[in-house]
């Protein structure tokens, strides 16, 4: 009987076929393996991270996950939403009829403009008189001052008339304040706040920036406005406390909130902020519609001056308001704030016969950023920020920073970035590790990446529980001398194991990315800030971090087979 070589392959590779090489780790046996099923499952999930497709000539077609040492699974990026909830459908004047109507309405527009100016002036003067000498802003406005505000409310109805809203269709009625102290509404234009001011004279929640607006700032102060800075957690918390306080006191007006946080085109509903629902009071949903054929009145991707001009030059603008049944929090079981908001948004979406998307004000910020950068299709840079925040816990401001970096990669008109531009911005050298980093976010494997993929990939690495620990350990490994800063030679020694053929000038370019103040050394804050802003660069420290046992067990460490 012939001798059998136990190390010889059982299957002989065929020259003209691709093969797959798998790395299989030995499982623990006995009771110890049974006691750690989650670790075994982790190995099974990560098994596909360590395979290579080998072509006929031995070229590496698909490489390992360079972030597996963090416990980071393969990236999945959901398909982009095809809906743009902010797009105005008639941003440009189109058609002979519309041009003829504008020409005919020019004299009417001049009269309307005069009426608008006079109404605004009268309302402003009446409001100044109502606020004169009133310093106790923490308590409800006295009745005689509220009666004086009726002059401003009538002026606001005249303003609506000047914009072409000669009549307004109403459905339903506002519930008594003691039944529903809070009203929420979808937000389409600047028209509905003017209407609600006339109809209900509510207390509103508004951005702090509105206080500095001419005329408008004075009027909303008379509404005992609750100011909020949407980017400050402390400000949002204080606003919620004020909502609770004023909703609980019948002497205050009812509260009006636009939970979408910005205007949309009225054909879609975007994600709700939770401020109106945290207090747990009954809420009356209200919807507004702007039926139209030739002129979309939504304030989406269109300047205020242009929108006002189009309103002034219409024979009539249609506006409908519908008060829906009150939605109350569930008493017989504990209900989360998000579920309460979901029930309310469902009622509004059903009445509008539309769907709610995962977009938020953050998407509008991304769109504006892309527009400022002269991108041909700025809408493709929207990512449904509400869902991104929920998945990865990154803020809209952080997403803007990622977009700014992506735009510096010179995307083409389709919003695609190529490999060499990706390397240029991240200061990486063309090598196998760089290819692995790029392939990690190039989920479609077409040689280009989108902003959506770049954001999801960066945030996916950033959200790993081990990321913070990895940053600290990488800093320790770089700082061989134990000083308060890292010099370039230490930095070079740390990353050499992953890219041994890096030249000094190439390492210097990357070092300058970490050296924020350009003083020739990298402080702890500089180092950690750079990795948080560029989480994909964490792969550069994988070799040293795996040696330190970052993950606390070999089950999270994947070996590379060359």
């Amino acid at each position: 009987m012939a001798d059998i070589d136990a190390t010889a392959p059982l299957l002989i590779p065929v020259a003209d076929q691709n093969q797959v090489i798998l790395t299989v780790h030995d499982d623990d046996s006995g009771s110890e393996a049974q006691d750690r099923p989650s670790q075994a499952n982790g190995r099974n999930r990560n098994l596909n991270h360590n395979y290579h497709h080998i072509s006929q000539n031995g070229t590496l077609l698909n490489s390992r996950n360079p972030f597996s040492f963090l416990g980071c699974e393969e990236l999945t990026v959901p398909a982009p939403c095809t809906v743009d909830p902010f797009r105005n459908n008639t941003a440009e004047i189109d058609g002979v009829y519309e041009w003829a109507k504008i020409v005919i309405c020019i004299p009417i527009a001049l009269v309307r403009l005069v009426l608008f100016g006079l109404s605004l002036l009268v309302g402003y003067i009446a409001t100044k008189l109502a606020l004169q000498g009133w310093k106790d802003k923490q308590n409800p406005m006295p009745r005689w001052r509220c009666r004086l505000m009726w002059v401003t409310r009538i002026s606001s109805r005249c303003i609506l008339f000047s914009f072409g809203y000669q009549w307004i269709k109403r459905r339903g009625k506002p519930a008594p304040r003691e039944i529903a102290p809070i009203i929420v509404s979808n937000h389409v234009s600047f028209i509905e706040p003017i209407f609600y001011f006339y109809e209900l004279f509510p207390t509103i929640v508004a951005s702090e920036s509105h206080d500095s607006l001419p005329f408008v700032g004075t009027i909303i102060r008379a509404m005992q406005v609750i100011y909020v800075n949407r980017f400050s957690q402390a400000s949002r918390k204080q606003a919620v406390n004020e909502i609770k306080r004023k909703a609980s006191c019948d002497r205050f007006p009812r509260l009006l909130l636009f939970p979408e946080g910005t205007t949309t085109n009225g054909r879609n509903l975007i994600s709700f902020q939770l401020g109106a629902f945290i207090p747990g009071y009954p809420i009356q949903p209200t919807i507004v519609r702007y039926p139209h054929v030739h002129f979309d009145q939504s304030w989406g991707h269109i300047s205020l001056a242009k929108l006002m001009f189009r309103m002034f030059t219409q024979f009539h603008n249609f506006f409908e308001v519908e008060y829906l049944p009150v939605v109350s929090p569930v008493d017989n079981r504990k209900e989360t704030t998000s579920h309460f908001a979901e029930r309310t948004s469902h009622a509004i979406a059903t009445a509008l016969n539309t769907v709610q998307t995962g977009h938020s004000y953050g998407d509008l910020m991304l769109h504006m950023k892309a527009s400022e950068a002269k991108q041909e299709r700025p809408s493709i840079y929207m990512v449904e920020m509400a869902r991104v925040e929920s998945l990865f816990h990154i803020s809209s401001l952080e997403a803007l920073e990622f977009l700014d970096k992506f735009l510096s990669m010179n995307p083409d008109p389709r919003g695609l970035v190529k490999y060499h531009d990706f390397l240029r911005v991240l200061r990486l050298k063309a090598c196998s590790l760089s290819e692995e980093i790029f392939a990690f976010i190039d989920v479609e494997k077409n040689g280009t990446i989108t902003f959506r993929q770049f954001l999801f990939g960066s945030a996916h690495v950033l959200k790993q529980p081990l990321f913070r620990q990895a940053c600290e350990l990488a800093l320790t490994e770089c700082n061989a001398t134990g000083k308060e800063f890292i010099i370039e030679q230490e930095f070079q020694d740390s990353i050499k194991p992953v890219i041994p053929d890096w030249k000094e000038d190439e390492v210097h370019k990357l070092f300058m990315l970490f050296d924020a103040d350009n003083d020739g050394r990298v402080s702890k804050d500089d180092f950690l800030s750079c990795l948080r802003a560029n989480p994909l660069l964490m792969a550069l420290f994988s070799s040293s971090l795996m040696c330190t046992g970052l993950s606390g067990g070999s089950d999270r460490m994947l070996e590379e087979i060359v």
Side-chain angles (χ1 to χ4, degrees):
M1 183 175 179
D3 294 336
I4 298 177
D5 185 0
T7 63
L10 297 180
L11 296 177
I12 305 301
V14 181
D16 59 349
Q17 291 183 357
N18 294 342
Q19 293 89 42
V20 175
I21 299 176
L22 295 177
T23 303
V24 181
H25 299 271
D26 292 335
D27 273 335
D28 296 336
S29 57
S31 60
E32 185 179 356
Q34 295 175 0
D35 293 338
R36 294 189 293 175
S38 61
Q39 295 181 8
N41 291 338
R43 292 193 189 92
N44 292 335
R45 285 196 306 269
N46 288 330
L47 184 62
N48 65 341
H49 292 179
N50 208 31
Y51 69 88
H52 305 267
H53 288 293
I54 308 298
S55 66
Q56 301 178 33
N57 58 6
T59 304
L60 189 65
L61 298 181
N62 194 6
S63 57
R64 68 177 179 89
N65 176 357
F67 303 101
S68 56
F69 69 98
L70 292 173
C72 190
E73 297 184 354
E74 292 290 340
L75 177 66
T76 57
V77 180
C81 180
T82 58
V83 173
D84 182 355
F86 309 107
R87 181 176 181 270
N88 184 297
N89 277 344
T90 60
E92 302 299 329
I93 303 173
D94 187 26
V96 175
Y97 171 78
E98 192 64 17
W99 278 108
K101 180 170 57 177
I102 290 175
V103 171
I104 294 172
C105 287
I106 289 294
I108 301 175
L110 295 176
V111 175
R112 288 176 170 176
L113 183 61
V114 172
L115 176 61
F116 167 76
L118 289 175
S119 300
L120 187 62
L121 180 61
V122 170
Y124 175 74
I125 294 173
T127 304
K128 289 290 285 185
L129 291 175
L131 293 176
Q132 188 67 33
W134 183 44
K135 297 181 180 180
D136 186 14
K137 304 295 178 66
Q138 294 300 313
N139 290 314
M141 178 179 280
R143 285 191 175 182
W144 72 267
R145 296 181 184 272
C146 290
R147 292 192 183 101
L148 188 56
M149 284 301 297
W150 263 107
V151 177
T152 307
R153 294 173 69 176
I154 296 300
S155 297
S156 67
R157 183 62 186 92
C158 294
I159 289 174
L160 292 176
F161 187 89
S162 69
F163 279 121
Y165 299 97
Q166 290 87 4
W167 64 86
I168 296 172
K169 186 176 182 180
R170 297 173 177 83
R171 295 179 182 176
K173 294 182 179 180
R177 194 230 184 265
E178 57 271 17
I179 295 178
I182 300 176
I183 285 182
V184 298
S185 171
N186 63 319
H187 198 7
V188 180
S189 181
F190 62 87
I191 292 299
E192 59 263 16
I194 300 175
F195 168 79
Y196 287 128
F197 173 77
Y198 162 71
E199 180 97 337
L200 303 173
F201 190 51
T203 293
I204 64 171
V205 178
S207 172
E208 291 177 345
S209 60
H210 291 169
D211 185 67
S212 59
L213 294 176
F215 299 102
V216 176
T218 301
I219 294 174
I220 63 176
R221 281 196 292 275
M223 300 171 69
Q224 298 185 272
V225 61
I226 300 174
Y227 288 118
V228 61
N229 180 351
R230 70 178 83 220
F231 302 116
S232 169
Q233 185 175 359
S235 177
R236 295 197 302 269
K237 184 177 180 180
Q238 183 179 358
V240 170
N241 291 334
E242 275 296 285
I243 292 172
K244 289 180 180 178
R245 185 177 75 88
K246 292 186 176 181
S248 63
C249 179
D250 289 339
R251 294 187 300 120
F252 280 103
R254 73 186 79 211
L255 286 96
L256 168 68
L257 292 95
F258 299 103
E260 293 172 290
T262 187
T263 56
T264 68
N265 57 20
R267 293 181 297 279
N268 300 101
L269 203 64
I270 64 174
S271 63
F272 277 14
Q273 303 296 314
L274 299 181
F277 309 95
I278 294 175
Y281 288 99
I283 288 175
Q284 182 172 32
T286 309
I287 60 174
V288 294
R289 301 183 184 91
Y290 293 83
H292 67 276
V293 176
H294 300 283
F295 168 51
D296 184 355
Q297 301 152 64
S298 65
W299 194 2
H301 306 333
I302 185 172
S303 68
L304 177 61
K306 187 174 183 178
L307 187 63
M308 291 176 64
F309 173 77
R310 296 290 301 278
M311 287 181 175
F312 282 143
T313 54
Q314 301 293 313
F315 295 127
H316 174 73
N317 290 310
F318 292 90
F319 180 43
E320 298 178 359
V321 180
E322 182 176 358
Y323 296 96
L324 303 178
V326 174
V327 179
S328 300
V330 178
D331 294 329
N332 59 355
R333 64 181 178 87
K334 191 174 182 179
E335 182 181 40
T336 63
T337 300
S338 58
H339 187 261
F340 185 22
E342 183 181 342
R343 289 196 297 118
T344 307
S345 65
H346 179 73
I348 293 178
T350 302
L352 287 172
N353 192 27
T354 187
V355 295
Q356 187 173 31
T357 71
H359 294 90
S360 71
Y361 179 72
D363 288 285
L364 189 59
M365 294 171 64
L366 293 173
H367 187 285
M368 293 170 61
K369 182 76 172 180
S371 298
E372 292 171 1
K374 308 299 182 183
Q375 295 297 306
E376 292 187 16
R377 298 170 56 197
S379 61
I380 64 177
Y381 294 95
M382 296 191 299
V383 294
E384 295 185 277
M385 268 307 301
R387 292 178 182 173
V388 172
E389 290 176 3
S390 176
L391 283 172
F392 302 115
H393 307 292
I394 66 170
S395 67
S396 298
L397 293 179
E398 289 176 304
L400 277 177
E401 292 177 358
F402 282 118
L403 177 57
D404 190 53
K405 186 170 297 293
F406 185 82
L407 293 176
S408 67
M409 297 178 186
N410 192 29
D412 65 19
R414 297 174 297 168
L416 302 178
V417 162
K418 296 180 180 179
Y419 176 60
H420 65 275
D421 288 317
F422 173 80
L423 298 185
R424 173 179 53 81
V425 172
L426 292 186
R427 317 283 178 88
L428 292 173
K429 175 185 175 64
C431 62
S432 59
L433 178 61
S434 299
E435 291 173 0
E436 290 166 359
I437 296 173
F438 188 81
F440 175 75
I441 54 180
D442 180 17
V443 293
E444 297 180 1
K445 309 305 176 189
N446 57 10
T448 57
I449 58 172
T450 65
F451 170 65
R452 188 181 185 86
Q453 293 168 349
F454 178 70
L455 177 64
F456 271 68
S458 300
H460 185 47
V461 175
L462 191 61
K463 80 156 189 174
Q464 296 303 314
L466 292 174
F467 182 82
R468 184 185 296 271
Q469 180 187 355
C471 291
E472 297 285 349
L473 287 176
L475 176 66
T476 303
E477 290 298 312
C478 289
N479 191 4
T481 59
K483 297 180 181 179
E484 295 182 355
F485 54 84
I486 302 169
I487 62 175
E488 187 168 336
Q489 185 60 49
E490 293 174 328
F491 182 79
Q492 180 175 339
D493 294 340
S494 179
I495 63 175
K496 273 286 187 180
V498 291
I499 309 179
D501 58 342
W502 253 10
K503 299 178 182 178
E504 288 188 9
D505 60 326
E506 295 169 336
V507 175
H508 177 73
K509 291 180 181 178
L510 180 61
F511 182 79
M512 295 306 295
L513 185 65
F514 283 81
D515 186 11
D517 51 8
N518 197 25
D519 62 353
R521 54 189 188 179
V522 175
S523 66
K524 177 181 178 179
D525 290 340
D526 290 341
F527 189 85
L528 299 180
S529 297
C530 183
L531 283 180
R532 181 166 180 83
N534 305 277
L536 298 177
L537 294 181
M538 182 57 72
L540 296 174
F541 306 96
S542 59
S543 178
S544 57
L545 293 179
M546 289 177 70
C547 292
T548 61
L550 168 67
S551 60
S554 61
D555 55 292
R556 290 193 181 182
M557 300 296 180
L558 298 176
E559 298 174 357
E560 178 182 0
I561 291 184
V562 181

